[in-house]
Amino acid sequence: MDAFSEDFRAGLHDLMRWRRDVRRFRTDPLDEALVQTCLDSFALAPSVGLSEPWRIIRVQSDTARQAALENFETANARALAGYDGDKAALYAGLKLSGMSDAPEQLAVYCDESTDKGSGLGAGTMPEMRRYSVVGAINYLWLTARAHGLGLGWVSVLDPARLNRDLAVPNDWSLVAYVCMGWPEDNSLTPELETKGWEVRAPHLKVEAR
């Protein structure tokens, strides 16, 4: 393949800068064709041994969404209790989930017992299956952003409780619960940085051996 143009490389760089974790969504429903376009990105993602271990559940019913939201609220209260003083006050003011508003919500799992790929690579490093799912989620994220959508990864959850509520097989492990929709606004700066929770490292530290 010929090298990509400078314009393409600049556009790709901009896309990665605009990727941002979104927690504030408009409630407008998404066109089904657009959702499918985003989901189709999984088919382009690399995976260890070509195992394609990702398993996706679209969380759509009121019952499933309410269970997921209550899961977050319980886990978030528990996390808040682990902080004191100014850090606790700062944490309490953070918006860590778009689950109340996002029109599309996905629970993304790794099938730890898949036969596909015949165990290549995963025999020595079984965690590579989950890493493959993480890589595929990044394809989803960039595809969604390229279409103007926002995506937010909810990490304040009890995975075992969510697994029971969604009735998934025992050999599936939760990798991500993501919310997707039109963002209320766009910003190059992560909300955790604007709220003073943390700052991005100014330089990449690379060691040589």
Side-chain angles (χ1 to χ4, degrees):
M1 176 183 289
D2 293 335
F4 291 107
S5 69
E6 182 60 33
D7 286 346
F8 178 91
R9 290 192 292 272
L12 177 60
H13 179 74
D14 287 343
L15 177 61
M16 290 188 289
R17 291 177 67 228
W18 279 107
R19 180 205 54 81
R20 294 286 66 82
D21 192 355
V22 174
R23 285 95 177 248
R24 302 178 189 276
F25 295 93
R26 294 174 5 215
T27 57
D28 314 41
L30 302 183
D31 183 78
E32 181 62 21
L34 178 54
V35 174
Q36 288 301 324
T37 294
C38 293
L39 291 175
D40 287 345
S41 65
F42 277 84
L44 302 175
S47 59
V48 62
L50 197 55
S51 57
E52 298 179 307
W54 39 80
R55 304 292 181 263
I56 303 166
I57 292 180
R58 293 179 69 176
V59 184
Q60 296 179 314
S61 72
D62 291 342
T63 300
R65 288 198 174 194
Q66 184 61 33
L69 180 58
E70 291 176 359
N71 185 330
F72 163 76
E73 290 172 343
T74 300
N76 195 45
R78 186 178 300 116
L80 174 59
Y83 296 102
D84 298 309
D86 291 344
K87 204 69 170 179
L90 183 56
Y91 184 93
L94 296 174
K95 183 173 175 58
L96 299 177
S97 161
M99 298 164 78
S100 296
D101 303 313
E104 189 69 29
Q105 300 181 32
L106 308 171
V108 186
Y109 284 88
C110 176
D111 183 351
E112 303 286 2
S113 62
T114 181
D115 291 330
K116 196 171 190 301
S118 301
L120 191 158
T124 48
M125 294 182 65
E127 64 273 20
M128 287 301 296
R129 291 195 182 104
R130 278 164 293 185
Y131 297 161
S132 297
V133 178
V134 172
I137 291 168
N138 271 291
Y139 273 42
L140 168 70
W141 213 324
L142 293 172
T143 301
R145 194 66 194 89
H147 288 274
L149 297 174
L151 189 142
W153 188 323
V154 183
S155 58
V156 186
L157 285 170
D158 178 345
R161 177 176 171 179
L162 187 70
N163 295 354
R164 292 192 300 270
D165 289 335
L166 297 181
V168 302
N170 291 332
D171 48 6
W172 287 15
S173 59
L174 180 69
V175 176
Y177 191 100
V178 296
C179 299
M180 185 166 66
W182 302 110
E184 283 188 351
D185 51 37
N186 293 297
S187 174
L188 283 173
T189 308
E191 184 166 338
L192 292 182
E193 189 169 348
T194 62
K195 297 294 186 181
W197 182 263
E198 191 52 273
V199 296
R200 189 179 293 278
H203 304 291
L204 175 65
K205 295 181 180 179
V206 179
E207 299 184 15
R209 294 289 189 273

